[in-house]
Amino acid sequence: MHAHNAPSAPEAGPPVIFEVRTATLADARFASLIAETISTSAKARGTGIAGRTPEMIRGKIAQGKAVIALMAGGEWAGFAYIETWEGGKFVSNSGLIVRPELRGMGVAAALKQAVFRLSRQLYPNAGIISITTSAAVMKLNSRLGFRPVSFAEVTQDDAFWEGCRSCANHGILCAKERQVCLCTALLYDPAENEKPA
């Protein structure tokens, strides 16, 4: 459990305080709101964000593979989860979403760090992959040791790519035979980043 005191503009009043932690079964009550926020965000930005259902989000919470950010009063602030591919050879940090009114306050960075730590804890030998159109996510990943790679270097698991079906850019991905799209592929390789001393 980590409490964060997010930066705010001087005229904005006191800083926003939030907690980021592994989600628990009690947090499943936010699943519909999280799914709706992901969908609304994808439409507003006109970019490729794959849809998520409340049932899928509840499943990730139940499996202990999700992190959540909550405001001091217990309101939902943000969410992210872990997916596994090829029997745990690869994992992805997915579904990172922050309530629109809280963006730019450090919630996404705190969530990204938390879901990354949870991934390393649960799957220490797995490569962590990220496919994104977001410059902010690319910047966060870079700080954690991710590097841009070709789509051929990440999982070829059909189920992973099936997650792109609800994305607005799915036609491009299919036309390019899953070799390129508007997203950038990033990889954290534990063998590269955690060399013995």
Side-chain angles (χ1 to χ4, degrees):
M1 180 184 333
H2 300 277
H4 298 271
N5 194 347
S8 64
E11 68 278 355
V16 175
I17 298 173
F18 58 93
E19 168 194 18
V20 177
R21 60 170 170 72
T22 302
T24 67
L25 289 176
D27 299 318
R29 70 186 186 274
F30 298 114
S32 293
L33 179 58
I34 293 165
E36 181 183 321
T37 305
I38 291 170
S39 176
T40 302
S41 181
K43 289 175 189 163
R45 288 193 265 179
T47 58
I49 299 176
R52 274 72 175 199
T53 65
E55 295 76 24
M56 187 272 261
I57 290 167
R58 281 191 282 273
K60 290 295 168 189
I61 291 171
Q63 295 165 12
K65 295 181 180 179
V67 296
I68 195 162
L70 299 172
M71 304 302 295
E75 295 174 74
W76 170 75
F79 181 81
Y81 65 89
I82 299 168
E83 289 275 16
T84 58
W85 312 102
E86 295 181 33
K89 178 180 176 183
F90 293 101
V91 300
S92 58
N93 297 160
S94 301
L96 178 64
I97 191 74
V98 175
R99 279 176 46 181
E101 65 271 26
L102 299 175
R103 291 177 185 158
M105 297 183 179
V107 179
L111 280 166
K112 183 65 188 173
Q113 290 170 0
V115 76
F116 178 79
R117 281 192 305 269
L118 185 60
S119 298
R120 299 292 303 123
Q121 176 187 332
L122 297 177
Y123 303 96
N125 300 314
I128 304 174
I129 55 179
S130 176
I131 306 284
T132 186
T133 56
S134 167
V137 172
M138 287 184 233
K139 187 175 181 180
L140 289 171
N141 282 342
S142 178
R143 287 186 198 144
L144 293 169
F146 286 73
R147 63 178 169 82
V149 296
S150 72
F151 279 24
E153 292 179 69
V154 299
T155 184
Q156 296 307 301
D157 190 319
D158 288 336
F160 173 82
W161 298 102
E162 185 64 25
C164 297
R165 184 172 293 281
S166 62
C167 172
N169 302 318
H170 186 251
I172 297 168
L173 181 69
C174 291
K176 299 294 183 179
E177 299 178 348
R178 293 194 325 210
Q179 296 303 303
V180 293
C181 195
L182 298 185
C183 281
T184 298
L186 301 145
L187 174 69
Y188 175 91
D189 184 344
E192 288 177 5
N193 287 280
E194 298 169 17
K195 296 179 177 135

